[in-house]
Amino acid sequence: MSDPIPVTRDGDGPGRRSFLKYSGALGAAAGLGGGLVACGGPESTNETGGGSGTLTAVIGYGNDGSWDPTQTASAFAMAGNEHIYEALLGTDPISREPYPQLATAVPSDLKATTWKFELRAGAKWHDGKPVTADDVVFVFDRILDPGTQTLAKGFFAGWLKEVRKVDARNVELVLKFPFPDGAARLTLAKIMPKHVYSAAGAWEDATKGKAIGSGPYRQASHHPKSNTTFEAYDDYNGPRRAAFKKMNWLTIVEAAPRVAKISGGSADAQISDNIPYANIEQLKGGGMTVEGGAGMNNLFLMFNTDHKPFDDVRVRQALHYAIDRAKMIDVALKGHGKAATSFLNEGNPSYRPAKTVYGYDPKKAKALLKEAGVSGLKINLMAVNVSWITDCLPTIKASWDAIGVSTTLDPQETTAVFTKLDQKKDYQVVAAASNPNQFGIEADLIMHYNYGPQNIWMGYARWARNARAKELFRLMDKATRESDATRKKTMVQDYIDLVAEEAVLYPVVHNELMTAWNPKRLSGIRPQPYPGINLLQAQWV
């Protein structure tokens, strides 16, 4: 199966810079040029709604990543795109069960190798033109084009052979082999208007924030450093109509001003994601509902296996065994986390404890270092400066110092960390945050997002050429092709045992993501275990 790989030149798309820069993954930034939307200043960031008025939301992540649905991993953009675009099938934001969006039905036989879809009658783009089968083929041709590297390619190219137009409102998807999990993945292929995005420079415009879809909300304005506004699309005739006349989404990365925006009787916003654990009780006391979603959000360690002694699996294991996860969860996460006992979180349908579980065992850590012939080890731990990550770093340092590993903490802006990785600069160990649940909860998808022969993370870790890595990739490909759900689950669990043992890129803790909202103003809110918000089933009280 194919894997997400770095962006290369593809006509009007971004050039070979950084996949993370253009996707927005992990908060990396993408610059915005002029001429796309009015950028002289933000829309009012103090509007509040009532009845059919403006809903104001706070997103705790940057809004300067790509908005191109085929490329982006930006939390803000992915959440926004869920309201602007539609796919053939959408998925429930929590259960991830597929439901018809632009298509009229979910295929009755998901084990078939041809899926037929009829498009919704009367579906229109936000510029008023009709949605057609040509638009569907246009998007999938881009995703499957061998010469065009997109993030979406890694989710489709391994199992989807081609997409054919039958007539103006009907398409066929031809699969390489039976792949029932593909139905839920279709939500990752947002259908985009061919007449807009086939124009010269249009993919670059999408990267910068231009978004024209067929969904219940149209993008009204886009200001990467402050906010994006949405308006209900009156001609939308799909399954989940807009409940809010307008929405104003603010980007506030700093915790204190984000919390202040939804606090007190004069709060300017009705909902915010990424609530700091330290502010939960304060917000509850002020009448807000604060609930968490537990999923794949995690702090992971990634080792440079080209930098000795991190090529030795015993050293990697030792550093994991040394970490006092219980202390980290208690002190840094205020109880809102669990020690990783597999690459997958415990709530994942494919979870089972890995054969190697890194319980707190400093004695074993010391023994492994001694066995590896390592003494006097000094580590510079480069880390992203995401607030909850930096809260966890002192525990890692104290744990490693306690086994005789002199540790220097080196938190930096996320863009700085990944720029260094993109430039292939030397490093020892990186601590960062990740959450592949943005794309789904399917284990095969999650593992391919992180591991694979051309995977960007494996490029960072310099591990893809290792013999154990090649064995892992073979097992992963075999599991992808297995159509029996029970056998596939076992095969995935088995190869995760190899991932756990090698600990090249592996989670330390999985933590909850907290969402707060005003229950006197909003109903139908469900906190999700990945960044962003989904308001397609929300409404005013």
Side-chain angles (χ1 to χ4, degrees), residues 258-514:
R258 185 167 68 250
V259 171
K261 205 72 176 175
I262 60 169
S263 299
S266 59
D268 292 325
Q270 296 86 45
I271 184 170
S272 175
D273 74 343
N274 198 17
I275 297 299
Y277 304 125
N279 296 104
I280 292 173
E281 295 308 316
Q282 166 204 341
L283 291 169
K284 285 183 175 180
M288 302 291 283
T289 296
V290 186
E291 294 183 3
M296 269 296 296
N297 207 64
N298 68 89
L299 180 158
F300 67 85
L301 295 179
M302 179 172 64
F303 295 91
N304 179 358
T305 60
D306 272 355
H307 189 124
K308 291 185 178 297
F310 308 109
D311 59 330
D312 192 319
V313 65
R314 294 168 295 186
V315 175
R316 301 193 297 266
Q317 289 182 341
L319 293 171
H320 270 281
Y321 279 119
I323 297 173
D324 188 345
R325 289 165 172 78
K327 180 180 178 181
M328 180 183 290
I329 293 166
D330 182 47
V331 174
L333 305 181
K334 311 299 182 188
H336 294 277
K338 290 188 176 182
T341 53
S342 166
F343 197 95
L344 302 175
N345 63 296
E346 292 184 12
N348 188 283
S350 294
Y351 167 84
R352 80 170 181 212
K355 288 184 178 179
T356 304
V357 174
Y358 295 101
Y360 181 44
D361 193 341
K363 181 182 288 188
K364 186 170 187 175
K366 290 179 181 179
L368 283 166
L369 289 177
K370 184 177 181 180
E371 183 181 324
V374 173
S375 62
L377 180 60
K378 296 181 179 180
I379 292 180
N380 181 82
L381 179 60
M382 187 166 63
V384 298
N385 66 346
V386 175
S387 58
W388 72 269
I389 295 288
T390 58
D391 289 343
C392 292
L393 295 180
T395 300
I396 298 178
K397 173 176 169 55
S399 298
W400 288 355
D401 286 348
I403 63 166
V405 175
S406 178
T407 308
T408 301
L409 300 179
D410 188 17
Q412 305 174 29
E413 291 288 339
T414 300
T415 49
V417 172
F418 285 95
T419 295
K420 291 174 183 176
L421 294 175
D422 290 331
Q423 294 173 348
K424 302 188 182 301
K425 292 190 175 180
D426 189 37
Y427 74 95
Q428 293 176 295
V429 190
V430 164
S434 180
N435 195 332
N437 282 162
Q438 291 182 110
F439 308 107
I441 59 174
E442 175 206 334
D444 182 90
L445 180 153
I446 289 170
M447 298 311 299
H448 277 88
Y449 177 70
N450 289 277
Y451 281 86
Q454 293 180 301
N455 185 281
I456 192 166
W457 301 108
M458 294 298 92
Y460 290 156
R462 282 80 147 163
W463 192 61
R465 298 183 304 276
N466 184 280
R468 290 279 281 170
K470 292 178 180 178
E471 172 65 7
L472 170 65
F473 304 152
R474 185 188 68 79
L475 295 172
M476 292 174 73
D477 185 64
K478 187 177 180 180
T480 295
R481 294 173 176 273
E482 176 56 62
S483 61
D484 181 84
T486 300
R487 287 199 296 269
K488 181 171 185 174
K489 180 177 179 179
T490 299
M491 292 166 73
V492 171
Q493 291 170 335
D494 287 347
Y495 76 62
I496 287 176
D497 287 339
L498 190 160
V499 171
E501 180 185 351
E502 289 294 323
V504 171
L505 185 159
Y506 201 72
V508 176
V509 290
H510 293 106
N511 67 313
E512 283 187 288
L513 290 178
M514 311 303 295

Side-chain angles (χ1 to χ4, degrees), residues 55-58 262 269-273 515-517 522 525 533 535:
L55 176 140
T56 300
V58 181
I262 60 169
Q270 296 86 45
I271 184 170
S272 175
D273 74 343
T515 302
W517 68 93
L522 298 176
I525 303 296
I533 55 176
L535 300 172

